[in-house]
Amino acid sequence: MELLAFGDTGYGDELFFGALTTIQLAVFGYVLALALGLVFAVLALKGKGPRWWLFRVYASIFTGVPSLLIIFLFYFGGAELVRSLLAPIGINVRLDVSPFTAGVAALGLVYAAYLGDLIRSAIINVPRGQFEACEALSVPRRHMWLSVVLPQAFRIALPGLVNTWIVLLKDTALVSLAGLNDLIANAKVAAGSTKEPFVFFTAALLFFVVIATVTLPLVNRVARRLERGQRRAEV
Amino acid sequence: MEFARLERHPAVAMAGVDKFYGKYQALRAVDLEIQRGEKLVVCGPSGSGKSTLIRCINALEPHDAGTISVNGIALGRDRASILDVRREAGMVFQQFNLFPHMTILENCTFAPRTSLGMARDKADALAMRYLARVHIADQAQKFPAQLSGGQQQRVAIARALCMEPRIMLFDEPTSALDPEMVGEVLRAIEELTADGMTMVCVTHEMGFARRVADRCLFMDQGEIVEAAPAGDFFDRPKSPRLRAFLAQILK
Amino acid sequence: MRFDPVLAWGSMPALLDGALMTLLVTFTVMAVGGPLGLAVSFARMSRRRPLAWFGAAYVSVCRGAPSLILLYLIYNGLAQLDIVRDGPLWFLFQHAFFCVVIAFSLNHSGYIVEIMRGGMEAVPAGLLEAGASLGLSPRQVLWKIRIPIAIRYGLKAYQNEAMLFMKSTAAVSAVTLTDLTAAANEIFYMTYDPFTPIITAGAIYWVINNAMRIGFGLLERRLNRHLGLA
Ligand SMILES: Nc1ncnc2c1ncn2[C@@H]1O[C@H](COP(=O)(O)OP(=O)(O)OP(=O)(O)O)[C@@H](O)[C@H]1O
Ligand SMILES: [Mg+2]
């Protein structure tokens, strides 16, 4: 147990800060994915036309290759990628892409493809009558989306959103392969220098298992409380 | 000015209106004039274009040919005229279409607050007034799913009234209801007719039509086949198609 | 950003070798993890408390943990335990490939348990009663009716899982196995071209991914045709 103690004697603090990095990475990546996914969903809503096709191509690419490969692409090539994207509009930057940034960008872009599909189908599953009622009442577009459609779509998408969060959280482990000092990387260091890999990897494993196991019931409880007396719309 | 517009024009004027869903023609050269304060009941077999007709009046469906004007406002493809027309005409749907995640009160205040920019307390007072008119003010803090179908439909009526339209459109307001709830909703609609509101109602409730309607309209295959006062309409139908239809719903 | 077709072409043999390893891992894990998942799914659905509890814990751990950690745990962690060191299987645990197969099979089978459970529960009770009333034994009802139908129900979910998991095998490079991702990485370190090897490898993954999709589509059509005739 003293192996896991905080301070000089143990590796508790290293694991703790590693876990913080892991959570930070997951949260940033997820928020980015959620924001992009929402934009994609709304742009590609119609299910035909150039915007829909662009999204299909995007989704096909980012769901068709491993996230690890995208992480490497952004880590090795991100700086040049950004430079060549910004050069045409006259901005010249030299930047270093840290593993953390590469990880956030990669996970965000990959899971935006999954979330885009998820949110889009949730919006489509909001009954048509809800849109029509807003139209007939001349509710402005902005309020229709923000107050009527998206809250209901969110409820429909919730299980998928939670599932994606868990999958993304697990994928953060891969960013350690690009040199991020997250939970796994620190566990690996500790394992190497103490020659006690079993202890440290088990600790890291439990971290993920506990979060994954706790998330769904927790979210369900919060959702139930938010919903108070209501049920889903009749179709 | 406003008064003059209303004086000079019928509530709804449709001339030569065609409506297509893809290749399928749902309305064929419909001509229809509805007077201010008139109560009009529309009936006809399933798929005859009744819903399409009233959905064209408030531009939920764009029409493809002909002209529609509502209280003198010509309905074009531009957003401005559509919004103007929708301010004139409120709509009640077969499936209620209440917002399930908002309370009854919020359902009613949502449109006045967002589209008219009404202050909260004013909107609340307005909503409570109309909820009282459909006898459901005591449920204001509940959610739609906690109400019966008949209560939900009365809320939907109050919600439409909160925009203070001059015309109310009802699309089969009672056909999604259990039989024992039909009466309360029809009574609520009937009570509205007292203050001279123009009303178009798609329904097959004959008793209601006889009591309330100034004029009944029979549609078939996208055309208005017959229009007559309720008495003549039900007791002395002229066209064979209407006769066949009445024979069927009376069975 | 620049894509170098000459380098891409020159890298093909190495990348295809890597792709072969990716496929080998994928199919071995499917072959091992499939039956394993099926077996655990019986435990998960068992009426005996300890068995069901074991199944639930198994799913929690195997699905909740990143496969990379499972991999480290088995490849590095087990080596430390004396029972493994002195056991008869030690020579196997020294091989990266063996450890990869075990780690990914644990992960893959965790998903299969839940897919099977979902499928079994979705089989309409009426069908099972119909089977029983025709005089089939409970065992026959299980094997001839419930499981075949559950597999058809679960196929779509299994397809998604299999495709996700094929891509997740990219992590095996962490334990010295040269799969497609590792091959692309090696070429990057030789040439310092960050785009060409990774994009080429990505294209190969994309082809494998979509080949799997098409394969599953054909399988589904076949099963459902059979279902339609039955
Ligand atoms: N959005 C649509 N797309 C394609 N066809 C439609 C659409 N809406 C209605 N139709 C078709 O147009 C015709 C008229 O439909 P409408 O809904 O106006 O009939 P209705 O008289 O209201 O029938 P009901 O009594 O069943 O409500 C029907 O044949 C219907 O199938
Ligand atoms: Mg209709």
Side-chain angles (χ1 to χ4, degrees):
Chain A
M1 260 303 112
E2 62 269 29
L3 285 175
L4 293 172
F6 278 63
D8 295 338
T9 53
Y11 286 86
D13 45 348
E14 277 85 349
L15 290 192
F16 177 76
F17 289 112
L20 274 189
T21 305
T22 294
I23 289 186
Q24 239 173 43
L25 174 63
V27 169
F28 285 12
Y30 192 72
V31 169
L32 178 62
L34 204 56
L36 282 176
L38 188 60
V39 171
F40 292 158
V42 172
L43 288 181
L45 195 60
K46 264 203 291 183
K48 50 182 190 269
R51 289 187 302 195
W52 188 74
W53 278 108
L54 270 178
F55 175 61
R56 291 275 38 108
V57 170
Y58 176 92
S60 176
I61 292 172
F62 279 89
T63 63
V65 306
S67 350
L68 181 58
L69 210 62
I70 309 273
I71 293 169
F72 282 150
L73 178 69
F74 287 174
Y75 181 52
F76 297 146
E80 199 179 323
L81 213 58
V82 172
R83 203 170 335 119
S84 55
L85 281 179
L86 292 184
I89 50 173
I91 303 174
N92 255 315
V93 283
R94 296 223 146 259
L95 78 171
D96 274 329
V97 174
S98 69
F100 187 83
T101 315
V104 169
L107 295 177
L109 290 180
V110 167
Y111 285 95
Y114 290 102
L115 290 185
D117 261 334
L118 179 76
I119 297 172
R120 177 172 174 270
S121 74
I123 293 175
I124 288 172
N125 278 310
V126 172
R128 241 176 79 105
Q130 296 288 307
F131 292 84
E132 290 186 347
C134 288
E135 294 256 303
L137 290 163
S138 15
V139 170
R141 281 281 153 80
R142 186 163 50 97
H143 290 99
M144 175 179 88
W145 281 101
L146 290 181
S147 307
V148 175
V149 178
L150 288 181
Q152 292 182 62
F154 176 74
R155 188 64 196 88
I156 297 172
L158 192 59
L161 290 174
V162 173
N163 198 35
T164 308
W165 157 253
I166 292 172
V167 175
L168 183 146
L169 178 73
K170 288 195 293 172
D171 253 8
T172 58
L174 299 173
V175 187
S176 69
L177 297 179
L180 180 69
N181 286 322
D182 62 351
L183 178 62
I184 295 113
N186 287 356
K188 203 168 181 217
V189 170
S193 51
T194 59
K195 302 273 178 271
E196 294 278 0
F198 200 75
V199 177
F200 291 106
F201 290 133
T202 305
L205 180 139
L206 284 179
F207 168 84
F208 285 97
V209 170
V210 166
I211 292 193
T213 316
V214 163
T215 304
L216 193 57
L218 198 73
V219 169
N220 278 339
R221 177 172 303 180
V222 171
R224 259 203 306 278
R225 174 157 309 173
L226 286 180
E227 274 176 18
R228 293 167 293 180
Q230 50 166 312
R231 259 170 275 146
R232 285 262 300 281
E234 308 278 336
V235 181
Chain B
M1 173 71 187
E2 177 88 345
F3 184 72
R5 169 168 70 84
L6 294 173
E7 275 294 271
R8 247 184 292 125
H9 298 282
V12 177
M14 304 175 83
V17 172
D18 288 341
K19 168 70 193 173
F20 290 86
Y21 293 114
K23 284 214 170 70
Y24 181 84
Q25 187 164 10
L27 292 182
R28 298 164 188 274
V30 167
D31 294 312
L32 175 65
E33 212 163 273
I34 304 171
Q35 298 312 315
R36 215 151 40 85
E38 186 175 0
K39 322 289 178 240
L40 184 73
V41 160
V42 181
C43 52
S46 177
S48 56
K50 307 177 298 289
S51 298
T52 306
L53 179 80
I54 69 171
R55 289 162 63 86
C56 280
I57 294 178
N58 75 345
L60 278 184
E61 298 287 355
H63 59 286
D64 297 303
T67 59
I68 300 178
S69 76
V70 177
N71 281 337
I73 302 163
L75 193 52
R77 293 252 159 173
D78 56 311
R79 187 104 186 120
S81 75
I82 290 175
L83 281 177
D84 285 346
V85 164
R86 286 184 184 153
R87 287 291 318 279
E88 300 287 327
M91 175 108 176
V92 173
F93 301 88
Q94 183 175 346
Q95 300 289 347
F96 331 142
N97 295 345
L98 294 179
F99 306 127
H101 58 302
M102 298 184 190
T103 63
I104 300 312
L105 187 65
E106 287 163 354
N107 261 280
C108 293
T109 57
F110 182 56
R113 294 188 59 192
T114 56
S115 96
L116 308 180
M118 196 180 282
R120 189 198 182 117
D121 47 350
K122 232 180 123 197
D124 283 355
L126 177 80
M128 291 312 293
R129 201 164 76 234
Y130 283 114
L131 284 171
R133 280 195 64 177
V134 295
H135 312 295
I136 204 152
D138 50 334
Q139 313 279 357
Q141 297 309 326
K142 290 197 180 163
F143 286 93
Q146 296 168 303
L147 269 52
S148 73
Q151 291 174 315
Q152 291 191 46
Q153 190 61 299
R154 284 186 280 144
V155 172
I157 294 170
R159 180 177 71 172
L161 290 173
C162 282
M163 292 297 284
E164 314 213 278
R166 295 193 175 86
I167 304 170
M168 281 288 279
L169 309 170
F170 296 88
D171 189 1
E172 307 205 33
T174 58
S175 46
L177 297 176
D178 293 336
E180 72 271 18
M181 296 171 185
V182 170
E184 61 183 81
V185 171
L186 290 181
R187 254 191 316 281
I189 298 174
E190 216 171 320
E191 285 168 17
L192 295 178
T193 60
D195 47 88
M197 170 155 331
T198 309
M199 199 181 87
V200 184
C201 185
V202 177
T203 181
H204 293 159
E205 298 290 335
M206 238 167 47
F208 172 80
R210 281 180 193 273
R211 280 196 310 279
V212 172
D214 299 314
R215 192 157 54 124
C216 294
L217 215 68
F218 175 66
M219 290 192 70
D220 194 19
Q221 298 178 354
E223 292 170 325
I224 297 177
V225 177
E226 189 164 339
D232 290 345
F233 187 86
F234 290 110
D235 301 332
R236 288 170 288 280
K238 291 202 196 73
S239 69
R241 277 196 270 179
L242 175 54
R243 242 174 278 152
F245 174 73
L246 289 175
Q248 216 168 34
I249 62 169
L250 286 176
K251 238 189 307 186
Chain C
M1 183 180 153
R2 210 172 33 98
F3 183 81
D4 179 353
V6 179
L7 175 58
W9 181 248
S11 320
M12 259 318 161
L15 289 177
L16 288 180
D17 267 352
L20 221 53
M21 176 56 83
T22 294
L23 287 176
L24 186 64
V25 169
T26 302
F27 288 119
T28 314
V29 170
M30 282 167 83
V32 175
L36 184 62
L38 208 60
V40 179
S41 74
F42 286 122
R44 178 79 180 83
M45 290 179 285
S46 163
R47 248 175 267 137
R48 276 179 231 150
R49 276 287 173 75
L51 269 183
W53 201 87
F54 163 78
Y58 183 93
V59 170
S60 258
V61 171
C62 294
R63 250 175 34 146
S67 19
L68 187 60
I69 295 193
L70 288 173
L71 189 53
Y72 284 152
L73 195 62
I74 286 164
Y75 187 67
N76 302 320
L78 287 186
Q80 167 213 359
L81 300 182
D82 289 337
I83 7 169
V84 179
R85 260 183 189 286
D86 302 335
L89 292 178
W90 172 235
F91 72 99
L92 282 176
F93 280 94
Q94 283 175 302
H95 283 289
F97 184 80
F98 179 79
C99 294
V100 160
V101 169
I102 298 296
F104 278 84
S105 295
L106 286 175
N107 184 254
H108 187 52
S109 60
Y111 279 93
I112 290 178
V113 174
E114 285 309 274
I115 292 170
M116 266 314 281
R117 194 164 72 109
M120 296 282 268
E121 278 169 3
V123 177
L127 273 181
L128 305 178
E129 284 161 13
S133 71
L134 285 173
L136 298 183
S137 70
R139 176 168 299 230
Q140 281 172 316
V141 171
L142 180 67
W143 285 99
K144 299 273 185 233
I145 299 181
R146 195 158 191 189
I147 291 180
I149 296 177
I151 287 177
R152 286 176 174 83
Y153 282 166
L155 194 62
K156 194 80 203 159
Y158 181 68
Q159 165 182 341
N160 287 336
E161 154 56 16
M163 285 163 53
L164 280 176
F165 132 79
M166 183 279 288
K167 283 169 273 176
S168 76
T169 62
V172 302
S173 53
V175 292
T176 71
L177 228 50
T178 308
D179 73 328
L180 181 47
T181 300
N185 247 340
E186 281 173 10
I187 296 165
F188 164 71
Y189 281 114
M190 284 185 307
T191 60
Y192 282 101
D193 178 341
F195 300 114
T196 308
I198 290 184
I199 289 173
T200 314
I204 299 175
Y205 272 114
W206 190 88
V207 169
I208 297 176
N209 193 56
N210 284 285
M212 282 174 80
R213 185 197 309 283
I214 292 169
F216 273 109
L218 293 178
L219 181 65
E220 191 177 359
R221 197 136 23 108
R222 219 188 135 104
L223 283 175
N224 285 346
R225 185 177 55 197
H226 178 69
L227 199 67
L229 287 174

